[in-house]
Amino acid sequence: MTRRIQFKDMCNFRSLGGYHTSDGKVTAANKFYRSSMMYYDSTDEALFKSLQIDTIIDLRSPKEVELEPNEYRQLVPHYIVVNLSKAHYRGRSEQLARQTNDPYFMRYRYLEYLSNLDAVRDIVRAILKAQGPIVFHCSAGKDRTGAIAFILLKVAKVPLKTIVEDYTRSYDYIKNDKRIMDPTKNLNVYISYPEVIEMMDPLFIEKYHSVEEYLLQCGLSETEIKELHDKLVSPT
């Protein structure tokens, strides 16, 4: 199944559909999309409209949103900004890169993102409220977007091996996009090493015990968590 949507001006726009789960189901097709910055090109508009997106969830900081507004927000019923990083502007990842020789340090950044429990609660509730397909995105579509994809795929009971494979695709898609790749930054900020997710997962489980317990700590109810699961997978 081809998950990447071939837009002219969005390099890392892809579906989370078609993944097999550990309980014999499959993630819903044409319902959940993840993306890098949604750069607008008029030639992409028809393809975007064909996806019938109901809600765009923009995970970027206020400064990023101000500097590069999402032009597609005018084409959907609902557009919300949830600042997953808590920061006014990005820069924390590069700070971590300067503090370590560990190439897989981004696992700690992802745990920082996921510690923003209120933001994750708001993201989930936006997904539950949506009446059609949703797309969530950040700048590269790898880090903040990858952290949320990690949570959603775990809720759907997608095996870790598959979650890792989904994550690792990002670098291949973004590495030639000069709007994303900053040559002055540590390359390990951009490379989607499989070890990042492989090493993050046990840290996540150690801290929260399970994704369901994590979402309860976010302030979601058991009913909302079940509703999210059921929305993420195809009906049997």
Side-chain angles (χ1 to χ4, degrees):
M1 177 180 180
T2 301
R3 294 185 175 83
R4 187 185 186 191
I5 311 298
Q6 295 287 345
F7 287 103
K8 176 182 177 182
D9 224 27
M10 288 183 274
C11 64
N12 194 15
F13 192 112
R14 46 200 169 96
S15 171
L16 291 180
Y19 286 129
H20 292 275
T21 70
S22 61
D23 57 354
K25 298 181 180 180
V26 178
T27 55
N30 308 317
K31 297 293 184 184
F32 296 89
Y33 299 94
R34 54 177 295 171
S35 183
S36 52
M37 175 57 197
M38 297 173 65
Y39 292 109
Y40 179 81
D41 187 286
S42 59
T43 60
D44 285 333
E45 190 170 315
L47 176 55
F48 180 80
K49 286 182 175 178
S50 75
L51 300 178
Q52 300 182 309
I53 300 294
D54 176 88
T55 300
I56 294 173
I57 303 173
D58 191 332
L59 305 175
R60 297 176 299 153
S61 69
K63 191 65 174 179
E64 290 173 284
V65 173
E66 177 186 344
L67 290 174
E68 292 186 309
N70 186 327
E71 300 299 333
Y72 285 93
R73 71 190 187 281
Q74 303 174 52
L75 301 180
V76 298
H78 306 288
Y79 167 77
I80 68 167
V81 177
V82 181
N83 182 12
L84 187 62
S85 69
K86 300 182 185 179
H88 185 65
Y89 194 50
R90 57 188 174 186
R92 171 66 174 152
S93 298
E94 184 64 18
Q95 180 186 43
L96 287 173
R98 291 193 297 268
Q99 295 172 351
T100 181
N101 293 320
D102 179 357
Y104 315 129
F105 66 88
M106 287 300 291
R107 67 189 183 276
Y108 299 116
R109 186 65 179 125
Y110 297 169
L111 290 171
E112 289 180 351
Y113 292 146
L114 295 178
S115 70
N116 191 348
L117 303 182
D118 290 347
V120 174
R121 177 201 62 212
D122 292 346
I123 291 164
V124 170
R125 286 184 173 159
I127 291 171
L128 295 179
K129 185 178 179 180
Q131 297 299 304
I134 68 103
V135 56
F136 54 99
H137 79 94
C138 54
S139 53
K142 179 182 82 75
D143 300 323
R144 288 163 289 189
T145 297
I148 296 303
F150 170 83
I151 293 298
L152 296 180
L153 292 175
K154 283 187 79 71
V155 171
K157 303 187 187 306
V158 172
L160 181 62
K161 180 177 182 292
T162 305
I163 297 174
V164 170
E165 290 170 353
D166 179 78
Y167 170 76
T168 58
R169 291 189 177 96
S170 280
Y171 181 63
D172 284 340
Y173 296 154
I174 69 174
K175 64 184 179 183
N176 294 317
D177 194 323
K178 295 180 180 179
R179 298 166 302 183
I180 293 173
M181 301 294 293
D182 183 343
T184 68
K185 291 187 176 181
N186 188 312
L187 189 60
N188 290 328
V189 171
Y190 297 107
I191 298 177
S192 45
Y193 295 107
E195 290 88 350
V196 171
I197 299 300
E198 291 169 349
M199 297 170 77
M200 185 192 79
D201 185 65
L203 296 175
F204 176 86
I205 296 301
E206 180 182 9
K207 183 172 183 178
Y208 299 108
H209 307 296
S210 69
V211 70
E212 293 80 13
E213 178 61 32
Y214 167 74
L215 292 175
L216 288 171
Q217 291 188 39
C218 289
L220 295 160
S221 68
E222 291 183 357
T223 299
E224 288 174 309
I225 296 169
K226 183 180 186 305
E227 184 181 350
L228 177 63
H229 170 269
D230 292 348
K231 197 166 188 176
L232 285 164
V233 298
S234 296
T236 54

